[in-house]
Amino acid sequence: PWPGASVTIRVHSESGRIDLNRAPRELLIGLIQQILSDADAETLVDTAIDWRDTNEQPRADGAERTDYARAGYNYGPTNRPFNSVHELSQVMGFDRDAVEALAPYLTVHSRRGRVDAVSAEPIVLAAIPGISRAEAEAFAEYRDAALAAGEEVNYKELGNGGKFLDTRGNHYVFSLDSDIGLADGTTLREHSVVEIRPGRQYRVLARELLPATKITEDESQ
């Protein structure tokens, strides 16, 4: 609560998300299979990797500049790392709805190929080859209870998924989603990504003010 307003802040570890620039192909495929069950995950991932790699040689199911031209695009892959997750909407095969569905589980800020096992959500854990959705949900429930009780977590519960996971818990990059609800029903939203390292001044890596929304009288009823 705040005088004349209410403030809600949600904090997430970026290391618990899949890094669009660093993640191995298998992990990206696994995430798309979890979120976009009807999509051709291998083609989408190869096309995304062709966007971020530095050459003009298309992957088996990917697309480079000549493929974009044949498809009628007036641009092609940047051949550099993604600047933001939403840049994915420019990649051939990805529409806005697909990117919005994937965005909560992707990042460009962790700069890690592995996912932080301490903070990853079940759907991210289930993207790891060999881990089912049920196993991921059961592990996340066990992990959160163990951490809350101050107990050590046995990450061997995740079996052979270890090569895709970081269990050190030394993550330093966090996203902060802030909602400020004003008395007139207007909500102001801001998304920030901040790096906080021990003994150093924090750094703001990204900041975005989102469109304000307002609850109408009909909606409030």
Side-chain angles (χ1 to χ4, degrees):
W2 198 262
S6 62
V7 180
T8 303
I9 300 176
R10 295 177 299 280
V11 182
H12 299 276
S13 167
E14 290 292 285
S15 299
R17 294 170 171 163
I18 295 172
D19 195 295
L20 192 52
N21 291 319
R22 301 291 184 91
R25 183 174 183 267
E26 304 97 309
L27 201 53
L28 292 168
I29 288 174
L31 180 66
I32 290 177
Q33 289 173 338
Q34 292 293 316
I35 306 294
L36 309 173
S37 57
D38 295 330
D40 183 344
E42 294 197 6
T43 295
L44 288 176
V45 170
D46 275 0
T47 307
I49 293 175
D50 276 338
W51 183 274
R52 77 185 191 194
D53 66 20
T54 58
N55 60 60
E56 287 290 342
Q57 181 65 40
R59 299 177 67 87
D61 295 311
E64 288 289 358
R65 190 168 297 274
T66 55
D67 302 292
Y68 279 74
R70 281 197 295 265
Y73 289 81
N74 60 4
Y75 64 86
T78 61
N79 292 335
R80 57 166 176 71
F82 287 90
N83 281 323
S84 75
V85 169
H86 289 282
E87 186 182 336
L88 193 62
S89 63
Q90 299 178 46
V91 176
M92 185 187 296
F94 288 88
D95 58 29
R96 180 170 297 182
D97 289 343
V99 175
E100 290 298 326
L102 293 166
Y105 311 103
L106 291 171
T107 183
V108 296
H109 297 292
S110 78
R111 300 187 292 276
R112 296 182 179 188
R114 296 186 178 189
V115 171
D116 175 45
V118 179
S119 60
E121 294 187 36
I123 202 163
V124 172
L125 295 173
I128 296 172
I131 299 178
S132 70
R133 185 68 171 269
E135 290 170 333
E137 290 175 350
F139 172 79
E141 184 177 352
Y142 149 73
R143 174 201 64 194
D144 294 347
L147 291 172
E151 300 172 354
E152 186 174 348
V153 178
N154 180 13
Y155 292 102
K156 292 182 179 179
E157 296 282 337
L158 291 172
N160 294 326
K163 71 175 184 177
F164 298 96
L165 293 168
D166 188 337
T167 60
R168 295 172 295 174
N170 60 341
H171 43 276
Y172 306 110
V173 183
F174 302 89
S175 63
L176 290 81
D177 291 292
S178 307
D179 290 356
I180 303 173
L182 304 180
D184 66 356
T186 301
T187 299
L188 308 176
R189 292 188 166 92
E190 178 179 321
H191 174 77
S192 303
V193 180
V194 181
E195 182 182 58
I196 306 172
R197 290 182 179 270
R200 300 186 192 178
Q201 186 175 3
Y202 73 88
R203 289 198 306 149
V204 178
L205 304 180
R207 182 170 178 263
E208 179 183 13
L209 294 174
L210 305 178
T213 60
K214 186 169 184 177
I215 299 175
T216 66
E217 186 175 344
D218 290 340
E219 289 174 330
S220 65
Q221 293 175 352

